[in-house]
Amino acid sequence: AGIQDTMENLWEFFINKVRKYLHIVLCFSPVGDKFRIRARQFPALVNCTMFDWFHGWPGEALVSVAQRFLADVPNVDEEVRDSVAH
């Protein structure tokens, strides 16, 4: 029993797995005309996708995250860590 090993069945299996598991990340800046032009040329970019809008972080937050991760780096002087974090 089961599915026979034919090229058609193999292709169907492959396509089903791709549809289920393949994820693609596209990064576009919404600033300017390029995003608007691309959206018109390829309507599926807007109609068949999920948008995550990311905004700039405050400088204090960026420094805080950098300091937290640099704290775990061994054999680095505190002065160097502070310089790299800023």
Side-chain angles (χ1 to χ4, degrees):
I3 299 175
Q4 293 204 1
D5 290 335
T6 64
M7 289 302 292
E8 292 82 19
N9 288 338
L10 177 62
W11 184 251
E12 184 179 349
F13 175 81
F14 172 74
I15 293 299
N16 288 336
K17 292 298 179 182
V18 167
R19 286 181 180 154
K20 186 173 181 177
Y21 294 113
L22 180 66
H23 301 297
I24 298 175
V25 176
L26 300 173
C27 300
F28 291 101
S29 172
V31 177
D33 292 333
K34 286 188 179 184
F35 181 72
R36 179 178 50 81
I37 292 168
R38 291 279 191 250
R40 278 196 201 145
Q41 289 175 332
F42 307 101
L45 287 177
V46 176
N47 297 330
C48 302
T49 58
M50 180 177 68
F51 284 87
D52 285 332
W53 296 97
F54 295 99
H55 300 282
W57 282 28
E60 185 179 314
L62 293 171
V63 171
S64 175
V65 170
Q67 287 173 337
R68 181 180 178 278
F69 283 99
L70 289 172
D72 297 337
V73 178
N75 303 326
V76 178
D77 294 335
E78 191 63 34
E79 192 176 293
V80 173
R81 279 192 188 125
D82 192 50
S83 176
V84 170
H86 285 87

